[in-house]
Amino acid sequence: QVQLVQSGAEVKKPGSSVQVSCHVSGDTFSSHAINWVRQAPGQGLEWMGGIVPIYKISEYSEKFQGRVTFTTDESTTTAFMELTSLRSEDTAVYYCARDGYQYDVLTGYKAFDIWGQGTAVTVSS
Amino acid sequence: DIELTQSPDSLAVSLGERAAIKCKSSQNILYSTDNKNYLAWYQQRPGQPPKLLIHWASTRESGIPDRFSGGGSGTDFTLTISSLQAEDVAIYYCHQYYSTPWTFGQGTKVEIK
C-alpha cells in the first residue's frame, strides 16, 4: 500500500525559509510525479507545482516561481519542498500528492490519487 | 489558466436524499486525441487531506461507493451523491488536469439538513 508521510508542523518567522519532506513508501518512487498543494486556513486548494523524479524535472506555478524549490532523494524515496522569503500569507497546510500517471510506461492519469497527511506551516513574528 | 467554478458553494441535504454539485470550466477539458475529460473530484473531510473519488470525469476510484457518480463533458460537469450518508459530510472539489497550472474549483460544502 502506497503511503506519503510528511514532516511535522513548523513555525517560522517572516523572511525565513521552510522545508517540508514527503516520504513515499510502498511504490516505485521515480515513476510518479509528486505535486505540492497548499490550503490556507478555511480556504481551497492551490497547486504550487510538481516534480517528476525519474526525469528530475520540476514545474512551478507562476505564483511561486523563484520562491519555491522541489527536490527528491531517490535513496530515501523522499521529496522535498522549500519555500523561501516567508510571509504571513504563506500560513497554510502544505500537502504532497502523487499523481496517477506513470512516466516510465507513459500510462495512467494525472489526478492526485494519493495524498500526504499535510504539514501545517505557521508564519508569525 | 483554466478556471473552475463550482455551484452551489454549499448545500444541505436530508439523509438518503440526492446531492448534486456542478463544476464549470472556463475552457474545454475534453482531449480530442483520447476522448477523455481531464477532470477529477475529491472529498475533503474536516482535518483530513483530500481523497480522490473520481477521475476522467466519471471513473470511480477503487473502493469508492457507487452512490458517488460523475458526469458531463467539455466544460460542464456534475458530481452526484445518490443517497447522502452521514459520512459524506465534507467539502468537495473539482480539479482539472488538462493543462498546467493544474487548478481546483473553490469547493462545495455538503451538510445534513
Side-chain angles (χ1 to χ4, degrees):
Chain A
Q1 184 179 349
V2 183
Q3 281 190 300
L4 277 59
V5 179
Q6 299 183 224
S7 49
E10 301 266 11
V11 179
K12 294 292 183 179
K13 300 283 189 196
S16 67
S17 301
V18 68
Q19 185 181 68
V20 177
S21 67
C22 172
H23 173 64
V24 180
S25 63
D27 188 35
T28 305
F29 174 72
S30 296
S31 59
H32 293 269
I34 296 294
N35 292 271
W36 292 90
V37 176
R38 79 176 187 181
Q39 187 170 38
Q43 302 300 306
L45 303 169
E46 182 175 34
W47 181 73
M48 300 176 68
I51 184 167
V52 181
I54 195 171
Y55 302 137
K56 294 209 181 301
I57 291 176
S58 295
E59 182 170 2
Y60 301 105
S61 168
E62 195 174 320
K63 177 176 177 177
F64 300 97
Q65 190 84 35
R67 251 195 345 130
V68 70
T69 304
F70 306 136
T71 55
T72 58
D73 181 342
E74 294 198 38
S75 67
T76 60
T77 61
T78 302
F80 300 90
M81 183 279 296
E82 183 179 32
L83 186 63
T84 62
S85 302
L86 290 170
R87 36 214 189 222
S88 58
E89 310 89 88
D90 294 318
T91 293
V93 175
Y94 290 76
Y95 293 102
C96 59
R98 188 192 83 159
D99 80 42
Y101 191 74
Q102 294 180 255
Y103 284 84
D104 52 347
V105 293
L106 303 180
T107 187
Y109 51 87
K110 291 183 181 177
F112 301 162
D113 61 353
I114 300 172
W115 293 65
Q117 83 276 19
T119 297
V121 176
T122 302
V123 183
S124 174
S125 55
Chain B
D1 298 5
I2 296 177
E3 186 175 342
L4 298 178
T5 303
Q6 293 182 226
S7 61
D9 288 333
S10 65
L11 74 161
V13 176
S14 299
L15 288 172
E17 294 299 305
R18 177 178 168 273
I21 301 167
K22 294 186 184 299
C23 176
K24 188 171 183 64
S25 174
S26 62
Q27 298 176 33
N28 176 43
I29 54 176
L30 171 64
Y31 192 42
S32 57
T33 302
D34 59 11
N35 201 37
K36 290 184 186 295
N37 288 281
Y38 282 54
L39 185 105
W41 289 97
Y42 301 88
Q43 175 193 68
Q44 187 177 32
R45 295 182 175 125
Q48 297 289 315
K51 177 181 180 180
L52 179 62
L53 300 176
I54 286 170
H55 66 274
W56 299 140
S58 60
T59 302
R60 257 191 314 275
E61 281 291 282
S62 174
I64 300 303
D66 61 7
R67 65 179 180 273
F68 292 93
S69 63
S73 185
T75 60
D76 293 281
F77 302 89
T78 302
L79 173 70
T80 303
I81 309 172
S82 61
S83 175
L84 192 74
Q85 305 299 303
E87 61 265 31
D88 301 334
V89 168
I91 299 175
Y92 293 83
Y93 295 93
C94 56
H95 163 219
Q96 67 80 20
Y97 49 104
Y98 181 87
S99 67
T100 57
W102 312 138
T103 51
F104 296 87
Q106 81 277 17
T108 295
K109 187 174 186 178
V110 174
E111 299 173 306
I112 304 295
K113 186 187 291 183

